[in-house]
Amino acid sequence: MNLQPLVEQYRGNILENVHLGLLCGVNDKKELISEIGNAQHVTFLRSAAKPFQAIPVVKAGVPKKLGLTSGEAALFAASQRGEAYQIEALESILKKADIAEELLLPCPTVPLNDEPRADFYAKGLPKRRIYHNCSGKHLGIIALCKELGYPVDTYWSLDNPVQQSILDTLSYMTEVPRDEIKIAVDGCGFPVFGIPLQALAVGYLKLACPDLIEDEATREAVIELTGYMNASPNMIASHGFICSSLLEDSNIVAKGGAKGVYAFGLKKERMAFALKVIDGAEPPWATIVASVLEQIGYDNQATIDRMYALTPKEIVNDNQAVVGENRAVFRLFDR
């Protein structure tokens, strides 16, 4: 596996914690330009797969046929957090697509973010399936089944034609043969895919640089989908989360997944990066992404600043006194 230190955390001047992992970058020839650890390490994509899973939905014209707003359509690739504006949009999709909420596979749950969860308990509301952070993805696939005439009661099964289409799309975008993609079951019940980290970077390169996609229909779907993501970044996660913060920058296409996997593509620079924090921690993402952007000389300082606002370099205690430091310790390129 060849794990490498990505972020070190110091308390005082003593090393207290290390986040190990793997990271790689590719250029628009799909060549490795950086490798920290083993770029061929097979990684389950978890929610980092959502843009690929949403491509068939957009390709079939579902957002336009249903008359969805860009914010509603963005939820097909989202890990939403249960904010009121997200639930309102999900309810609108239910209505426009004529979908019964009971069709969604995830069990009823509560909102993830603190404020809507507190409101949920204060009002004594019932748990709902659309509170699940993958509900937008599920609604998109159900809507696709309805559009194409496939069974909706097994929309989540790998045997369903829409899931086979997703598998084909992932293979096409990442250039991993179908029979080499590892498959297990994700937290929400969907198939979850394992591919080499470099292949994930290639997939995000194509999301950011759709001119590299030869198939016209797929290329147009990617342009439409990433347009929704950049136009409505807070739908993809919510305010205060890295995906939404990165997507505020129209030059970036980004999405993370559970257990420490993250990927992003840069349109102007025509490169993409994928990483895996092996302990599954998410706070190091912002430190790592900020360091990557600094090391390539990224010219939008505001984006870098937003990363450091999410996970500051300085570690403070409960009294807001500075007691330590987060340090990115990897180097993308040989010096």
Side-chain angles (χ1 to χ4, degrees):
M1 190 179 294
N2 191 21
L3 298 174
Q4 299 294 318
L6 298 178
V7 176
E8 293 180 348
Q9 294 179 319
Y10 287 80
R11 186 163 296 266
N13 60 358
I14 301 298
L15 178 63
E16 184 176 46
N17 190 38
V18 179
H19 292 288
L20 302 175
L22 311 109
L23 185 153
C24 69
V26 297
N27 61 18
D28 63 358
K29 296 180 177 61
K30 307 165 195 172
E31 301 166 335
L32 271 178
I33 57 173
S34 181
E35 182 178 25
I36 314 297
N38 179 13
Q40 298 309 309
H41 174 71
V42 174
T43 302
F44 279 120
L45 306 191
R46 307 299 295 268
S47 286
K50 283 178 177 173
F52 306 119
Q53 291 168 313
I55 289 173
V57 182
V58 177
K59 195 173 180 179
V62 169
K64 293 179 178 177
K65 290 177 181 178
L66 294 180
L68 302 184
T69 66
S70 64
E72 290 166 354
L75 284 165
F76 294 155
S79 296
Q80 59 88 18
R81 305 282 307 181
E83 290 291 335
Y85 59 85
Q86 294 170 330
I87 300 306
E88 181 181 351
L90 289 164
E91 289 175 333
S92 178
I93 295 173
L94 284 171
K95 183 176 180 180
K96 291 178 179 179
D98 191 24
I99 295 173
E101 187 171 341
E102 292 72 22
L103 277 175
L104 275 71
L105 179 65
C107 293
T109 187
V110 303
L112 284 177
N113 275 0
D114 292 343
E115 186 174 338
R117 186 169 64 248
D119 186 64
F120 167 89
Y121 285 118
K123 293 179 178 177
L125 298 173
K127 294 181 179 181
R128 298 184 62 181
R129 296 176 190 273
I130 61 169
Y131 290 150
H132 193 281
N133 74 328
C134 294
S135 57
K137 173 182 71 175
H138 284 252
L139 287 176
I141 301 306
I142 294 172
L144 180 59
C145 283
K146 288 169 64 72
E147 172 65 24
L148 299 179
Y150 296 136
V152 297
D153 57 339
T154 59
Y155 75 93
W156 45 267
S157 170
L158 186 61
D159 295 330
N160 193 294
V162 295
Q163 294 292 343
Q164 290 296 307
S165 177
I166 288 171
L167 188 56
D168 287 336
T169 300
L170 180 69
S171 175
Y172 180 71
M173 290 291 290
T174 63
E175 302 185 6
V176 178
R178 270 182 55 119
D179 60 359
E180 294 181 16
I181 296 175
K182 308 304 180 185
I183 301 176
V185 180
D186 213 337
C188 69
F190 259 40
V192 61
F193 309 112
I195 60 174
L197 204 61
Q198 181 178 352
L200 176 58
V202 168
Y204 272 77
L205 173 70
K206 292 180 180 179
L207 291 175
C209 303
D211 59 287
L212 298 175
I213 302 171
E214 293 184 0
D215 180 71
E216 181 179 1
T218 303
R219 181 171 62 250
E220 292 302 314
V222 165
I223 292 170
E224 183 179 339
L225 174 63
T226 56
Y228 295 141
M229 295 171 70
N230 285 125
S232 302
N234 279 348
M235 287 297 190
I236 301 301
S238 76
H239 54 281
F241 285 80
I242 183 172
C243 291
S244 296
S245 188
L246 281 175
L247 287 165
E248 287 181 35
D249 186 334
S250 61
N251 187 54
I252 296 179
V253 179
K255 186 71 182 72
K259 301 303 180 184
V261 62
Y262 207 86
F264 63 101
L266 302 167
K267 301 175 185 179
K268 182 174 62 178
E269 293 76 9
R270 298 182 66 79
M271 59 180 68
F273 296 87
L275 64 97
K276 168 76 172 179
V277 179
I278 208 65
D279 62 8
E282 297 182 11
W285 285 345
T287 303
I288 295 165
V289 171
S291 183
V292 168
L293 295 176
E294 288 177 329
Q295 291 185 54
I296 66 171
Y298 195 60
D299 63 6
N300 191 336
Q301 185 61 42
T303 298
I304 297 172
D305 291 344
R306 287 197 302 276
M307 294 299 98
Y308 285 127
L310 292 174
T311 304
K313 291 182 181 181
E314 294 181 333
I315 297 173
V316 298
N317 68 5
D318 296 341
N319 296 321
Q320 300 304 301
V322 176
V323 297
E325 180 186 7
N326 288 300
R327 297 180 191 172
V329 292
F330 62 90
R331 292 293 174 262
L332 290 178
F333 312 112
D334 293 332
R335 301 297 183 184

